[in-house]
């Protein structure tokens, strides 16, 4: 109350309605109070509009009571206030463009997983053929990309460069083995005994696996990563799978 009374008194003096003139410390202290009040009001507005949205109050109604031009203005105001205040964990809320990109990325990823699940048999067949190559590690480690990576990481003091060992072959074989274990496991063993949606859970895990297999196969579609020129049928199958998945992604845009 003392701060409020002093604030009102200084403002009256600024208007010339109260004498004598305010002192320099009083003026500066009042300016500081204004800044602090503005920050508090903005923060309170952010909390209240967030509460309004949790109560399912529409942006149009919020805009009406904030005396803004419309729904978009209220959303923009809320977003601006959110960007001005960090969360308790230190993070800053995403901008509208960032939220749009994030949502688009999630939607694209879900679509990719659905496509992979629809073509699971094809993906598994190609992945198994790749993983079965006896010299898979040698092919990858001798690739153009492996030589380039090793040249970039090699110390100038090394006279005889050691062979670069890349992790992709092991990752592919581990994922193929993971898929085989998954298919040999019953649905009940994958989820809690009381779960009513075991089939849904199983489909989600299957989508995760085949989507990862697809990503690993796509790595082999680039000749810089592995030379399959002596295995034209396998190379064509990998290229066609990669091309089909890319065409499906373009069609979704």
């Amino acid at each position: 109350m003392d701060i409020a009374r002093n604030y009102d008194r200084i403002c009256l003096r600024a208007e010339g309605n109260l004498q004598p003139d305010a002192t320099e410390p009083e003026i500066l202290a009042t300016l500081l109070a204004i800044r602090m009040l503005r920050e508090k009001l903005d923060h309170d507005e952010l909390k209240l509009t967030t509460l309004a949205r949790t109560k399912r109050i529409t942006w149009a109604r919020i805009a009406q009571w904030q005396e803004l031009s419309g729904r978009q203005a209220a959303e923009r105001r809320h977003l601006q206030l959110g960007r001005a205040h960090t969360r308790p964990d230190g993070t800053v809320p995403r901008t509208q463009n960032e939220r749009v990109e994030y949502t688009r990325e999630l939607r694209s990823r879900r679509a990719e997983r659905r496509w992979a699940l629809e073509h699971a048999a094809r993906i598994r067949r190609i992945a198994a053929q790749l993983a079965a190559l006896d010299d898979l590690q040698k092919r990858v480690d001798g690739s153009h990309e492996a030589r380039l990576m090793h040249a970039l990481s090699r110390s100038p003091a090394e006279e005889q460069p050691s062979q670069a060992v890349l992790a992709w072959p092991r990752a592919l074989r581990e994922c193929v083995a993971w898929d085989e274990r998954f298919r040999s496991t019953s649905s009940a063993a994958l989820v809690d005994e009381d779960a009513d949606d075991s089939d849904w859970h199983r489909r989600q895990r299957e989508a995760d696996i085949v989507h990862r297999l697809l990503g690993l196969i796509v790595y082999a579609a680039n000749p810089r990563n592995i030379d399959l020129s002596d295995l034209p049928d396998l190379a064509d199958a990998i290229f066609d799978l990669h091309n089909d998945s890319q065409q499906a992604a373009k069609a979704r845009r």
Side-chain angles (χ1 to χ4, degrees):
M1 292 299 297
D2 288 340
I3 292 174
R5 280 194 292 268
N6 287 332
Y7 176 85
D8 289 339
R9 187 174 69 253
I10 299 302
C11 289
L12 287 172
R13 286 175 177 173
E15 295 171 0
N17 297 325
L18 187 65
Q19 299 295 331
D21 290 340
T23 64
E24 180 179 315
E26 288 177 322
I27 296 171
L28 296 177
T30 305
L31 289 173
L32 175 62
I34 289 174
R35 184 188 64 78
M36 295 175 67
L37 285 170
R38 183 182 295 115
E39 288 183 357
K40 175 173 170 50
L41 289 172
D42 286 347
H43 200 189
D44 289 345
E45 182 181 347
L46 174 65
K47 291 188 292 186
L48 288 169
T49 51
T50 301
L51 177 61
R53 291 298 295 157
T54 63
K55 297 290 186 181
R56 300 185 181 279
I57 300 175
T58 65
W59 283 116
R61 290 194 63 198
I62 293 172
Q64 178 184 357
W65 288 91
Q66 286 184 310
E67 297 186 340
L68 296 172
S69 60
R71 176 186 61 80
Q72 290 184 338
E75 287 189 84
R76 187 161 50 250
R77 171 70 178 166
H78 181 72
L79 184 61
Q80 290 170 345
L81 290 172
R83 294 293 295 179
H85 296 278
T86 57
R87 298 189 180 103
D89 61 359
T91 60
V92 178
R94 295 186 181 95
T95 64
Q96 185 174 3
N97 287 339
E98 289 171 341
R99 287 187 298 168
V100 169
E101 288 300 322
Y102 177 71
T103 302
R104 183 179 294 135
E105 182 180 346
L106 285 181
R107 187 165 56 244
S108 176
R109 185 171 179 81
R110 285 195 296 267
E112 286 177 2
R113 291 171 77 253
R114 284 196 301 270
W115 190 91
L117 199 55
E118 292 169 359
H119 299 80
R122 182 183 176 190
I123 291 170
R124 284 172 171 140
R125 182 177 65 254
I126 296 173
Q129 290 176 329
L130 263 175
L133 294 178
D134 294 334
D135 59 347
L136 181 62
Q137 186 72 55
K138 183 179 179 181
R139 288 173 182 265
V140 173
D141 291 344
S143 68
H144 180 276
E145 197 66 20
R147 292 194 301 271
L148 179 61
M149 290 174 62
H150 184 61
L152 291 173
S153 61
R154 188 179 63 188
S155 169
E158 289 185 86
E159 295 182 2
Q160 186 64 31
S162 57
Q163 183 75 6
V165 178
L166 300 189
W168 176 80
R170 180 165 56 90
L172 174 67
R173 284 170 172 159
E174 286 178 352
C175 194
V176 169
W178 182 23
D179 181 54
E180 290 174 352
R181 288 194 300 271
F182 167 81
R183 285 187 288 167
S184 64
T185 305
S186 64
S187 298
L190 294 173
V191 294
D192 297 335
E193 293 182 0
D194 297 332
D196 297 327
D197 52 358
S198 60
D199 288 341
W200 182 86
H201 281 284
R202 186 176 183 87
R203 292 286 285 179
Q204 293 304 306
R205 293 201 181 185
E206 184 178 10
D208 289 338
I209 295 172
V210 294
H211 185 244
R212 175 161 171 74
L213 280 175
L214 175 62
L216 290 165
I217 292 171
V218 165
Y219 178 88
N222 188 343
R224 292 170 57 92
N225 296 329
I226 183 173
D227 182 10
L228 297 173
S229 58
D230 60 326
L231 299 170
D233 291 343
L234 179 57
D236 288 346
I238 293 170
F239 176 81
D240 290 343
L241 178 66
H242 175 50
N243 186 60
D244 290 347
S245 66
Q246 291 295 102
Q247 292 299 322
K250 289 180 181 178
R252 292 191 296 266
R253 292 171 186 161

